[in-house]
Amino acid sequence: MRITIVGTGYVGLVTGACLAELGHQVTCVDLIKERVEQINRGEAPFYEPELPRLLNTVTRQGTLQASTSLPEAMRECELSMITVGTPANADGIDLTAVADAAGQIGTWLHLAAPYHVVTVKSTVTPGTTATLVRSRVEAASRQSLGKFGLCMNPEFLREGAAVTDFRNPDRIVIGQSDQRAGNLAAEMYRGFTCPVIMTTLENAEMIKYTSNTLLATLISFSNEIASLCEAIPGCDVDAVMDAIHLDKRLSPIVNGERIKPDILSYLRTSSGYGGSCLPKDVLALRMFAKHISVSTPLLDAVTEVNTNRPRVVVERIIRTLGSLRNRKIAMLGLAFKPGTDDLRFSPAIEIINHLRQHGAIIHAYDPVALPAAAGIQNEQVILSDSPESAVTDADAAVIGTAWPEFAELDWHTFSNLMKTPYLFDARNAFRDKNWPASLRYIPIGVCIEE
Ligand code: UDX
């Protein structure tokens, strides 16, 4: 199938490369010439494990190419896919780029195959595809829906595991304006054995929001329980959650063996959720609900708990160290989670902001996100090129991202380099490790002994 992808951001490029791997003829369109050239050289413009190798393969075999020319890409094309950004704004979600992409596809629709399906993959609020996208395509093409088809096909790709997630989907969701459109979009995924859900455009849009807001809700629920445990001497959120996880409705026993679904890891405490999806999607759904006069007290609280979590972590540090004014804090990890260099809505960055407000001097290190973090530097935030230089003379170190390599550092030596050997684990990631006696490891979700 000839496919045009509009927008070579994270979702667009991963989707394009994976569809090209399946044998489709894919053209990724972007306005930025340098980015297009980079993709055509087989290079990934952002950090995502597995993508460079895949891009190299599909550009060399010629199933994927990038272009700045939408008309060229639209020639004989059967399906176009909108994968532009839908950032948060005061209104909840900024759909300008989606509307523009739909208009441009409409403009060149006459060049496409006789029957063409416009597919939205960007995360958009319910009703967007059937109203905004449809009207823009119709106005620009002077054709009515039916002459072309509309689909909404949300992505469920985790950063850091996006290629694997595309290759092994839990389900494929296709919202369709009509059956002909849906069938053509489903053709893209021929060969996948997972359930394929053919549904309305609005359901498809809502499934994406429900999926991400559920994850955010689980995280905030766990963090609210953690806040309670932190205030109750004798309570430990991990012990509580370990017992909860053993409920057979959460971890069923199959053939005598307990299955521990991945979802259980969202029922753990942390400094909160971040990234390009969860914070933005919870906000967009809340604002959308407001527009249609539906109250969302649960989702409002999910955001509130998450916003407070980095502050709670810093308050714990203050309870142990006292005033942070001019104290050196080593921040280990900046990315919103391991496996990515994405700093968007990263709880680690929020922790840094709170530490700064209390007058601390932060020396930050991340194994992959340092180039992306250049912009956060100032007189109080210094980027360190090694964990060792970050912790030297520090009053405390904080694990801001659960990079596994942080547990493997030589903490015995590090504790001797530090002014006071406190290690705060803001992700509660390394509680099982045998820490050297010279270091005081302080997890979250437990009451700090005075
Ligand atoms: C998410 C969804 O998982 C994905 O299906 C969707 O399409 C895009 O949004 P991503 O933003 O990459 O993907 O992050 P995810 O791995 O789900 O992590 C989201 C947040 O949950 C992060 O802040 C992370 O630290 C936290 N998280 C993640 C956990 O608390 N536990 C985990 O096991 C994984």
Side-chain angles (χ1 to χ4, degrees):
M1 189 185 294
R2 288 181 78 86
I3 299 169
T4 295
I5 307 248
V6 181
T8 63
Y10 192 80
V11 171
L13 192 54
V14 170
T15 304
C18 290
L19 287 171
E21 185 185 39
L22 294 176
H24 298 298
Q25 193 59 46
V26 180
T27 307
C28 290
V29 178
D30 206 291
L31 297 172
I32 308 165
K33 192 164 161 264
E34 295 72 40
R35 201 176 178 93
V36 162
E37 287 168 354
Q38 198 179 3
I39 296 167
N40 282 331
R41 287 196 302 271
E43 294 167 15
F46 46 80
Y47 179 84
E48 177 62 31
E50 291 201 61
L51 186 60
R53 201 151 55 115
L54 177 58
L55 266 185
N56 202 292
T57 309
V58 290
T59 49
R60 261 193 300 121
Q61 76 193 17
T63 47
L64 181 115
Q65 55 166 344
S67 169
T68 51
S69 168
L70 183 59
E72 226 169 73
M74 284 293 283
R75 213 170 285 281
E76 302 303 321
C77 169
E78 293 151 277
L79 185 142
S80 54
M81 196 179 275
I82 298 175
T83 57
V84 294
T86 51
N89 68 7
D91 213 26
I93 184 170
D94 181 353
L95 294 167
T96 317
V98 171
D100 287 352
Q104 285 165 33
I105 289 170
T107 302
W108 303 110
L109 196 60
H110 61 280
L111 299 176
Y115 182 70
H116 179 93
V117 173
V118 181
T119 300
V120 176
K121 197 173 260 299
S122 304
T123 300
V124 294
T125 40
T128 302
T129 309
T131 54
L132 181 71
V133 173
R134 174 182 175 174
S135 64
R136 292 301 172 105
V137 177
E138 285 186 335
S141 67
R142 296 175 193 203
Q143 290 191 32
S144 310
L145 185 64
K147 283 274 186 201
F148 66 92
L150 268 184
C151 281
M152 201 285 149
N153 171 219
E155 53 82 18
F156 303 99
L157 308 175
R158 289 166 303 163
E159 289 188 29
V163 174
T164 311
D165 283 351
F166 187 99
R167 289 173 177 155
N168 309 286
D170 301 330
R171 70 309 214 187
I172 290 163
V173 175
I174 298 176
Q176 54 186 19
S177 56
D178 55 69
Q179 222 177 359
R180 186 180 180 197
N183 287 346
L184 196 125
E187 267 294 291
M188 263 190 304
Y189 301 105
R190 198 166 10 121
F192 282 102
T193 51
C194 68
V196 178
I197 298 157
M198 308 301 293
T199 187
T200 63
L201 296 168
E202 293 77 7
N203 277 343
E205 291 160 332
M206 196 60 194
I207 286 168
K208 172 61 194 254
Y209 277 106
T210 307
S211 167
N212 274 356
T213 52
L214 171 65
L215 298 178
T217 302
L218 294 180
I219 293 171
S220 279
F221 168 77
S222 311
N223 280 333
E224 186 154 299
I225 297 296
S227 289
L228 273 164
C229 290
E230 283 159 1
I232 305 171
C235 263
D236 177 339
V237 74
D238 276 358
V240 172
M241 284 307 195
D242 282 347
I244 298 304
H245 288 188
L246 291 176
D247 186 320
K248 290 198 202 77
R249 290 165 293 186
L250 290 171
S251 56
I253 294 175
V254 178
N255 297 333
E257 265 195 52
R258 191 175 288 276
I259 311 291
K260 292 194 168 174
D262 289 348
I263 196 80
L264 292 181
S265 62
Y266 292 81
L267 282 168
R268 288 279 178 204
T269 186
S270 66
S271 49
Y273 59 80
S276 64
C277 290
L278 267 54
K280 174 173 86 75
D281 292 351
V282 177
L283 181 74
L285 193 58
R286 287 173 53 212
M287 297 294 276
F288 173 76
K290 213 169 162 185
H291 282 307
I292 58 167
S293 304
V294 176
S295 63
T296 54
L298 178 62
L299 293 182
D300 298 349
V302 166
T303 304
E304 189 187 334
V305 171
N306 198 59
T307 307
N308 285 336
R309 205 60 194 145
R311 182 178 52 75
V312 169
V313 169
V314 172
E315 281 168 3
R316 287 169 72 77
I317 298 172
I318 293 171
R319 205 165 317 135
T320 306
L321 293 190
S323 166
L324 296 182
R325 188 145 301 279
N326 293 325
R327 311 286 288 274
K328 175 176 174 179
I329 308 290
M331 189 72 190
L332 299 181
L334 295 168
F336 84 95
K337 65 172 187 178
T340 175
D341 65 349
D342 198 340
L343 303 177
R344 284 175 287 179
F345 295 98
S346 171
I349 302 291
E350 282 307 307
I351 291 174
I352 288 178
N353 290 338
H354 285 285
L355 290 169
R356 274 185 61 202
Q357 280 163 21
H358 286 278
I361 310 295
I362 300 103
H363 289 247
Y365 169 78
D366 188 288
V368 304
L370 285 181
I376 70 163
Q377 297 176 95
N378 56 44
E379 67 289 347
Q380 271 178 274
V381 183
I382 295 118
L383 298 183
S384 299
D385 55 13
S386 70
E388 187 171 357
S389 72
V391 301
T392 300
D393 291 328
D395 292 279
V398 180
I399 291 174
T401 313
W403 287 103
E405 51 261 58
F406 290 155
E408 305 310 318
L409 296 170
D410 178 0
W411 281 102
H412 176 69
T413 304
F414 277 21
S415 59
N416 292 323
L417 294 175
M418 295 173 76
K419 198 180 282 170
T420 43
Y422 290 110
L423 176 62
F424 292 88
D425 186 351
R427 301 305 298 182
N428 239 25
F430 305 120
R431 290 194 64 180
D432 295 341
K433 184 182 158 67
N434 279 328
W435 295 97
S438 55
L439 185 80
R440 179 149 176 232
Y441 170 83
I442 304 177
I444 52 174
V446 291
C447 196
I448 295 181
E449 309 284 330
E450 300 297 339

